[in-house]
Amino acid sequence: MSVCFTWIKNEKSYLIADTLMSSTQNIITSSYTPFHQRKEFVNGYYIEEDGLKIYEISNDMVIAVAGNVPSYTEILQQIYNINDTLTIHKLLELLQLNFMHLLENVKMLFLYKEFGKNKIIVWDGNCSYEPTNTSIPIFIGCGADNIKFTEAVKKAILCNNDHDSNQYLSLIISYVQCLSMKLKTIRNGFGGTFYGLFISSKIQWMRDLEYVLLTRNGRISQLISVIIRKSSVIISSSMENTTRLLTNFYKSTEWFSEYHNMKSVLRAVDTKEAFYYIFYGLKSNQIYLWEAKGILIRNDFRKWIKRGEKKVDYLYAIDTSLANMITSGKGKILEPQGHILSIIGSTYLSLDAVSTDVIKQLHKTKILVGYDYDFVALNCSSFNKDHIKMIRRNINNFYNIVVIDYDFFCKKILEENLAFYQDYNFDLTNMHLELLLRHCLQNDYYVEYSKIKIVVVKSTKDYIINNVNITSWFQNYHNCSFIITDNKEKDLSELLIYWIKEYYINEKYFHLGMNILIADNLVFGQILDLLVPLERRHYKCADWILVRLNNSNTSMPGGFNYVNEEWAFLDLLNLDTGYPLQKEIAVTEREQELLSGIGQNTIHDWTQNKSLFNNIKLVDPTK
């Protein structure tokens, strides 16, 4: 039960498929698909949204499949086991020789490049052939027999231009998606969620899509996000209130099994703004596509995000004029040509002179209590981008970021506590930063001490305390970098603003866990208080942990999880004086070696918080 179709336009080949599969067993996990189509029982088969139909074989070859699932699963496994340098013709020869008994139950589309030219080969269950007219889409699967569907798709493919291949692909996918809902194709055994790719010089999967479905009165009915990562489809729907992962188990099993990769994908589908937004009037049958490019700034449509402990909530505002344009009229037939929305207006906030008055500038941007700050409105044009390179360099090798105010560390944590405990004659050569970091990160779901990036912001002055050069002490850690500045408050303020923004909206950093800030300053505290989402501060789901002064002296916000300067001092020296939890969280010598760079191997000391995955449906599309 499926439909896949391909065509070539202006020397680029396109491929689109659905995600429905059929089974003799009732494996239904919900009554509706993400696009609010009620699950059906068709010709003795149960229909479920469980199946990938497109498989990326190499950089310039993909296969789409339809038919008997066990049969094409066995064939695909063999194809992935074969050396990817095999030519398409040799591959077809091997398939015909070894799998003829299975190919009779399977139909396949092969998209590949030969001598720089995009080509298509169809296996129709008996033999393979190359279509003579590839400008007309070739369909396989049960959807190929639905004339009303196929004729409408052909018309849409021909009447939309492909000057921008990504936009064209997104238009056709969104048209087919809405057409499937309109015709209720699930009753005929195909539909579900549509996705696709095109091949130009190489394979390019569709860009992130978010559907906004509007009722006749302009009210937002449903929202569905569809993204592709690692040849796998991830769908998040307000209808199901869940996230579906349709994983390519031939290529990506190991990648998706890694905790931080999974975390990155879930953050991407839940919080990253889509590249394209598709507005669809359920009664008017009109489609409008807006190329947001991940920056959701329109005067007539806005979206806000509230990040909770276990779920993400959204708030949408759509202008009446835009809603009326999309929903006006009542069309029985879906218009084959999509409408392109241009950006009517935008409002950016520039932070050219971030300094002690930074908060006054930040407050010029509208915020909603409990919802994310409008991060895309932040433009720190005066910020020295070289500073962020300290964090960005090899970012995939790190899971946590630590930012340290060098003066605060030396004066408040070390000098003042040494004076307070002057009778104890503490030996600073026994200090270990990892002891403090363990205290801060004890609630993180996964901590690997060799993967903590440390950034120290300091002036040219070095502190020597009790005959220990603190700068040299920091340099002993292989993952420590320095930002040397003559204006610490300005540069650290800008660094915080830039990093908080990147941490929440840049997918390159979505795999990261908690951040630690070792500082105490009124401006830094105000930046954190304004920019860090409210529900991402407290004990159970903190994104930022502060090492600061005690409550009577601090300038930092009280809502953040924290370690005060005395606890930090005792942590550094592995002392339990006045601190009963210290023995429980003492790190091993092996962990100390990892952070200092002495150890050769990696220790995985992690705990999976299963509550994060309660609403995740991890689907094996081959079963």
mmCIF file of all heavy atoms in Angstrom, residues 2 38 103 144 168 171 190 212 227 236 240 257 282 292 295 298 387 396 423 434 436 443 449 572-573 578 582-583 592:
data_model
loop_
_atom_site.group_PDB
_atom_site.id
_atom_site.type_symbol
_atom_site.label_atom_id
_atom_site.label_comp_id
_atom_site.label_asym_id
_atom_site.label_seq_id
_atom_site.Cartn_x
_atom_site.Cartn_y
_atom_site.Cartn_z
ATOM 1 N N SER A 2 1.031 1.865 -1.141
ATOM 2 C CA SER A 2 1.930 3.005 -1.206
ATOM 3 C C SER A 2 1.800 3.676 -2.558
ATOM 4 O O SER A 2 1.117 3.183 -3.467
ATOM 5 C CB SER A 2 3.380 2.560 -0.992
ATOM 6 O OG SER A 2 3.751 1.614 -1.975
ATOM 7 N N ARG A 38 -8.025 9.302 9.174
ATOM 8 C CA ARG A 38 -8.366 8.154 10.006
ATOM 9 C C ARG A 38 -7.801 6.882 9.388
ATOM 10 O O ARG A 38 -7.915 6.649 8.186
ATOM 11 C CB ARG A 38 -9.887 8.034 10.155
ATOM 12 C CG ARG A 38 -10.313 6.858 11.040
ATOM 13 C CD ARG A 38 -11.812 6.824 11.215
ATOM 14 N NE ARG A 38 -12.258 7.884 12.109
ATOM 15 C CZ ARG A 38 -12.227 7.816 13.442
ATOM 16 N NH1 ARG A 38 -11.749 6.723 14.027
ATOM 17 N NH2 ARG A 38 -12.654 8.810 14.174
ATOM 18 N N LEU A 103 11.367 -10.272 -6.878
ATOM 19 C CA LEU A 103 11.078 -9.096 -7.689
ATOM 20 C C LEU A 103 9.669 -9.131 -8.283
ATOM 21 O O LEU A 103 9.099 -8.086 -8.614
ATOM 22 C CB LEU A 103 12.110 -8.960 -8.805
ATOM 23 C CG LEU A 103 13.508 -8.529 -8.345
ATOM 24 C CD1 LEU A 103 14.511 -8.682 -9.468
ATOM 25 C CD2 LEU A 103 13.479 -7.088 -7.843
ATOM 26 N N ALA A 144 -0.792 4.358 -8.127
ATOM 27 C CA ALA A 144 -0.653 4.525 -9.573
ATOM 28 C C ALA A 144 -1.965 4.246 -10.305
ATOM 29 O O ALA A 144 -2.161 4.706 -11.442
ATOM 30 C CB ALA A 144 0.449 3.603 -10.094
ATOM 31 N N TYR A 168 10.501 24.363 -5.738
ATOM 32 C CA TYR A 168 9.637 23.565 -6.613
ATOM 33 C C TYR A 168 9.288 22.224 -5.970
ATOM 34 O O TYR A 168 8.121 21.815 -5.935
ATOM 35 C CB TYR A 168 10.347 23.361 -7.947
ATOM 36 C CG TYR A 168 9.667 22.415 -8.901
ATOM 37 C CD1 TYR A 168 8.442 22.724 -9.494
ATOM 38 C CD2 TYR A 168 10.263 21.193 -9.237
ATOM 39 C CE1 TYR A 168 7.827 21.851 -10.382
ATOM 40 C CE2 TYR A 168 9.659 20.323 -10.122
ATOM 41 C CZ TYR A 168 8.446 20.650 -10.694
ATOM 42 O OH TYR A 168 7.832 19.786 -11.574
ATOM 43 N N LEU A 171 6.855 22.751 -3.166
ATOM 44 C CA LEU A 171 5.517 23.043 -3.690
ATOM 45 C C LEU A 171 4.803 21.762 -4.113
ATOM 46 O O LEU A 171 3.625 21.555 -3.782
ATOM 47 C CB LEU A 171 5.612 23.999 -4.881
ATOM 48 C CG LEU A 171 5.465 25.498 -4.615
ATOM 49 C CD1 LEU A 171 5.675 26.279 -5.894
ATOM 50 C CD2 LEU A 171 4.097 25.814 -4.017
ATOM 51 N N PHE A 190 -3.177 4.424 0.196
ATOM 52 C CA PHE A 190 -1.931 5.170 0.075
ATOM 53 C C PHE A 190 -2.143 6.576 0.622
ATOM 54 O O PHE A 190 -3.266 7.045 0.792
ATOM 55 C CB PHE A 190 -1.428 5.197 -1.374
ATOM 56 C CG PHE A 190 -2.280 6.027 -2.318
ATOM 57 C CD1 PHE A 190 -1.932 7.335 -2.618
ATOM 58 C CD2 PHE A 190 -3.415 5.493 -2.916
ATOM 59 C CE1 PHE A 190 -2.710 8.093 -3.496
ATOM 60 C CE2 PHE A 190 -4.198 6.241 -3.782
ATOM 61 C CZ PHE A 190 -3.838 7.552 -4.081
ATOM 62 N N VAL A 212 0.669 24.535 8.129
ATOM 63 C CA VAL A 212 -0.276 25.261 8.974
ATOM 64 C C VAL A 212 -1.646 25.117 8.307
ATOM 65 O O VAL A 212 -1.893 25.717 7.253
ATOM 66 C CB VAL A 212 0.103 26.748 9.118
ATOM 67 C CG1 VAL A 212 -0.877 27.458 10.054
ATOM 68 C CG2 VAL A 212 1.539 26.898 9.610
ATOM 69 N N ILE A 227 10.621 16.720 8.630
ATOM 70 C CA ILE A 227 12.014 16.986 8.326
ATOM 71 C C ILE A 227 12.711 15.672 7.962
ATOM 72 O O ILE A 227 12.228 14.595 8.310
ATOM 73 C CB ILE A 227 12.756 17.664 9.492
ATOM 74 C CG1 ILE A 227 12.908 16.711 10.690
ATOM 75 C CG2 ILE A 227 12.039 18.937 9.934
ATOM 76 C CD1 ILE A 227 13.736 17.288 11.833
ATOM 77 N N SER A 236 6.343 15.526 13.325
ATOM 78 C CA SER A 236 5.752 15.974 14.586
ATOM 79 C C SER A 236 4.412 16.624 14.270
ATOM 80 O O SER A 236 4.321 17.515 13.421
ATOM 81 C CB SER A 236 6.675 16.986 15.285
ATOM 82 O OG SER A 236 6.112 17.421 16.495
ATOM 83 N N GLU A 240 -1.401 14.308 16.778
ATOM 84 C CA GLU A 240 -0.994 13.147 17.562
ATOM 85 C C GLU A 240 -0.317 13.535 18.867
ATOM 86 O O GLU A 240 -0.255 12.759 19.808
ATOM 87 C CB GLU A 240 -0.008 12.297 16.754
ATOM 88 C CG GLU A 240 -0.643 11.501 15.648
ATOM 89 C CD GLU A 240 0.319 10.445 15.144
ATOM 90 O OE1 GLU A 240 1.480 10.771 14.848
ATOM 91 O OE2 GLU A 240 -0.100 9.282 15.056
ATOM 92 N N SER A 257 21.002 5.633 17.568
ATOM 93 C CA SER A 257 21.092 4.999 18.880
ATOM 94 C C SER A 257 21.925 5.823 19.858
ATOM 95 O O SER A 257 21.910 5.554 21.056
ATOM 96 C CB SER A 257 21.692 3.598 18.752
ATOM 97 O OG SER A 257 23.043 3.661 18.323
ATOM 98 N N LEU A 282 -8.375 24.605 4.457
ATOM 99 C CA LEU A 282 -9.048 23.308 4.364
ATOM 100 C C LEU A 282 -10.324 23.373 3.526
ATOM 101 O O LEU A 282 -10.720 22.381 2.908
ATOM 102 C CB LEU A 282 -9.384 22.793 5.768
ATOM 103 C CG LEU A 282 -8.170 22.409 6.634
ATOM 104 C CD1 LEU A 282 -8.603 22.184 8.081
ATOM 105 C CD2 LEU A 282 -7.486 21.166 6.076
ATOM 106 N N ALA A 292 10.594 30.804 4.589
ATOM 107 C CA ALA A 292 11.017 31.485 5.818
ATOM 108 C C ALA A 292 12.518 31.387 6.039
ATOM 109 O O ALA A 292 13.106 32.207 6.736
ATOM 110 C CB ALA A 292 10.292 30.891 7.024
ATOM 111 N N ILE A 295 13.941 31.668 9.587
ATOM 112 C CA ILE A 295 13.849 32.927 10.336
ATOM 113 C C ILE A 295 12.400 33.380 10.290
ATOM 114 O O ILE A 295 11.925 33.893 9.272
ATOM 115 C CB ILE A 295 14.772 34.014 9.744
ATOM 116 C CG1 ILE A 295 16.222 33.527 9.746
ATOM 117 C CG2 ILE A 295 14.648 35.307 10.534
ATOM 118 C CD1 ILE A 295 17.189 34.480 9.072
ATOM 119 N N ARG A 298 7.661 37.779 10.365
ATOM 120 C CA ARG A 298 6.662 38.397 9.492
ATOM 121 C C ARG A 298 5.795 39.284 10.361
ATOM 122 O O ARG A 298 5.509 38.956 11.512
ATOM 123 C CB ARG A 298 5.780 37.338 8.818
ATOM 124 C CG ARG A 298 6.438 36.556 7.702
ATOM 125 C CD ARG A 298 5.404 35.653 7.039
ATOM 126 N NE ARG A 298 4.378 36.437 6.373
ATOM 127 C CZ ARG A 298 4.369 36.686 5.056
ATOM 128 N NH1 ARG A 298 5.323 36.224 4.291
ATOM 129 N NH2 ARG A 298 3.404 37.391 4.508
ATOM 130 N N HIS A 387 35.533 35.195 18.946
ATOM 131 C CA HIS A 387 35.305 34.705 20.301
ATOM 132 C C HIS A 387 34.473 33.421 20.296
ATOM 133 O O HIS A 387 34.744 32.493 21.062
ATOM 134 C CB HIS A 387 34.599 35.777 21.137
ATOM 135 C CG HIS A 387 35.459 36.964 21.416
ATOM 136 N ND1 HIS A 387 34.965 38.147 21.935
ATOM 137 C CD2 HIS A 387 36.794 37.176 21.240
ATOM 138 C CE1 HIS A 387 35.947 39.011 22.075
ATOM 139 N NE2 HIS A 387 37.070 38.438 21.653
ATOM 140 N N ASN A 396 31.238 19.297 17.477
ATOM 141 C CA ASN A 396 30.652 17.958 17.509
ATOM 142 C C ASN A 396 31.367 17.032 18.480
ATOM 143 O O ASN A 396 30.846 15.970 18.830
ATOM 144 C CB ASN A 396 30.660 17.347 16.108
ATOM 145 C CG ASN A 396 29.660 17.998 15.183
ATOM 146 O OD1 ASN A 396 28.639 18.523 15.624
ATOM 147 N ND2 ASN A 396 29.945 17.994 13.902
ATOM 148 N N ASP A 423 43.263 29.184 58.291
ATOM 149 C CA ASP A 423 43.898 28.289 59.263
ATOM 150 C C ASP A 423 44.130 26.878 58.723
ATOM 151 O O ASP A 423 44.772 26.055 59.373
ATOM 152 C CB ASP A 423 43.046 28.198 60.541
ATOM 153 C CG ASP A 423 42.951 29.541 61.262
ATOM 154 O OD1 ASP A 423 43.886 30.359 61.095
ATOM 155 O OD2 ASP A 423 41.945 29.772 61.962
ATOM 156 N N GLU A 434 37.491 19.256 37.375
ATOM 157 C CA GLU A 434 36.452 18.277 37.087
ATOM 158 C C GLU A 434 35.578 17.962 38.290
ATOM 159 O O GLU A 434 34.426 17.551 38.148
ATOM 160 C CB GLU A 434 37.063 16.981 36.526
ATOM 161 C CG GLU A 434 38.158 16.384 37.359
ATOM 162 C CD GLU A 434 39.526 16.971 37.026
ATOM 163 O OE1 GLU A 434 39.587 18.082 36.484
ATOM 164 O OE2 GLU A 434 40.519 16.302 37.311
ATOM 165 N N LEU A 436 34.439 20.176 40.451
ATOM 166 C CA LEU A 436 33.398 21.206 40.413
ATOM 167 C C LEU A 436 32.416 20.938 39.273
ATOM 168 O O LEU A 436 31.192 21.068 39.445
ATOM 169 C CB LEU A 436 34.042 22.582 40.246
ATOM 170 C CG LEU A 436 33.084 23.761 39.975
ATOM 171 C CD1 LEU A 436 32.067 23.901 41.092
ATOM 172 C CD2 LEU A 436 33.875 25.042 39.787
ATOM 173 N N ASN A 443 22.986 16.486 37.220
ATOM 174 C CA ASN A 443 21.632 16.218 36.730
ATOM 175 C C ASN A 443 21.568 16.103 35.213
ATOM 176 O O ASN A 443 20.485 15.980 34.652
ATOM 177 C CB ASN A 443 20.677 17.321 37.194
ATOM 178 C CG ASN A 443 20.512 17.326 38.699
ATOM 179 O OD1 ASN A 443 20.426 16.262 39.313
ATOM 180 N ND2 ASN A 443 20.524 18.497 39.302
ATOM 181 N N TYR A 449 33.478 13.379 30.533
ATOM 182 C CA TYR A 449 34.315 14.481 31.004
ATOM 183 C C TYR A 449 35.349 14.933 29.998
ATOM 184 O O TYR A 449 35.808 16.069 30.046
ATOM 185 C CB TYR A 449 34.962 14.083 32.345
ATOM 186 C CG TYR A 449 33.911 13.963 33.412
ATOM 187 C CD1 TYR A 449 33.297 12.741 33.653
ATOM 188 C CD2 TYR A 449 33.473 15.076 34.112
ATOM 189 C CE1 TYR A 449 32.296 12.626 34.598
ATOM 190 C CE2 TYR A 449 32.472 14.958 35.059
ATOM 191 C CZ TYR A 449 31.881 13.740 35.297
ATOM 192 O OH TYR A 449 30.878 13.643 36.215
ATOM 193 N N LEU A 572 36.585 22.090 44.298
ATOM 194 C CA LEU A 572 37.877 22.120 43.609
ATOM 195 C C LEU A 572 38.944 21.351 44.383
ATOM 196 O O LEU A 572 39.818 20.719 43.794
ATOM 197 C CB LEU A 572 38.328 23.564 43.400
ATOM 198 C CG LEU A 572 37.532 24.378 42.365
ATOM 199 C CD1 LEU A 572 37.868 25.856 42.477
ATOM 200 C CD2 LEU A 572 37.830 23.880 40.949
ATOM 201 N N LEU A 573 38.854 21.409 45.706
ATOM 202 C CA LEU A 573 39.864 20.766 46.543
ATOM 203 C C LEU A 573 39.390 19.420 47.106
ATOM 204 O O LEU A 573 40.049 18.840 47.960
ATOM 205 C CB LEU A 573 40.265 21.706 47.679
ATOM 206 C CG LEU A 573 41.079 22.921 47.199
ATOM 207 C CD1 LEU A 573 41.162 23.983 48.277
ATOM 208 C CD2 LEU A 573 42.472 22.496 46.772
ATOM 209 N N GLY A 578 31.725 21.033 55.748
ATOM 210 C CA GLY A 578 30.484 21.802 55.614
ATOM 211 C C GLY A 578 29.688 21.445 54.381
ATOM 212 O O GLY A 578 28.750 22.137 54.034
ATOM 213 N N GLN A 582 29.509 15.999 49.245
ATOM 214 C CA GLN A 582 30.749 15.925 48.491
ATOM 215 C C GLN A 582 31.239 14.492 48.260
ATOM 216 O O GLN A 582 31.659 14.140 47.177
ATOM 217 C CB GLN A 582 31.836 16.728 49.203
ATOM 218 C CG GLN A 582 33.120 16.865 48.393
ATOM 219 C CD GLN A 582 32.895 17.603 47.108
ATOM 220 O OE1 GLN A 582 32.267 18.645 47.102
ATOM 221 N NE2 GLN A 582 33.365 17.051 46.003
ATOM 222 N N LYS A 583 31.162 13.650 49.296
ATOM 223 C CA LYS A 583 31.655 12.291 49.153
ATOM 224 C C LYS A 583 30.849 11.508 48.117
ATOM 225 O O LYS A 583 31.373 10.659 47.419
ATOM 226 C CB LYS A 583 31.615 11.569 50.500
ATOM 227 C CG LYS A 583 32.667 12.064 51.495
ATOM 228 C CD LYS A 583 32.622 11.254 52.782
ATOM 229 C CE LYS A 583 33.692 11.725 53.765
ATOM 230 N NZ LYS A 583 33.642 10.964 55.040
ATOM 231 N N GLN A 592 39.336 12.265 36.192
ATOM 232 C CA GLN A 592 40.266 13.391 36.234
ATOM 233 C C GLN A 592 41.239 13.319 35.062
ATOM 234 O O GLN A 592 41.557 14.324 34.435
ATOM 235 C CB GLN A 592 41.032 13.391 37.567
ATOM 236 C CG GLN A 592 40.154 13.599 38.789
ATOM 237 C CD GLN A 592 40.941 13.469 40.081
ATOM 238 O OE1 GLN A 592 42.146 13.619 40.080
ATOM 239 N NE2 GLN A 592 40.244 13.185 41.158
#
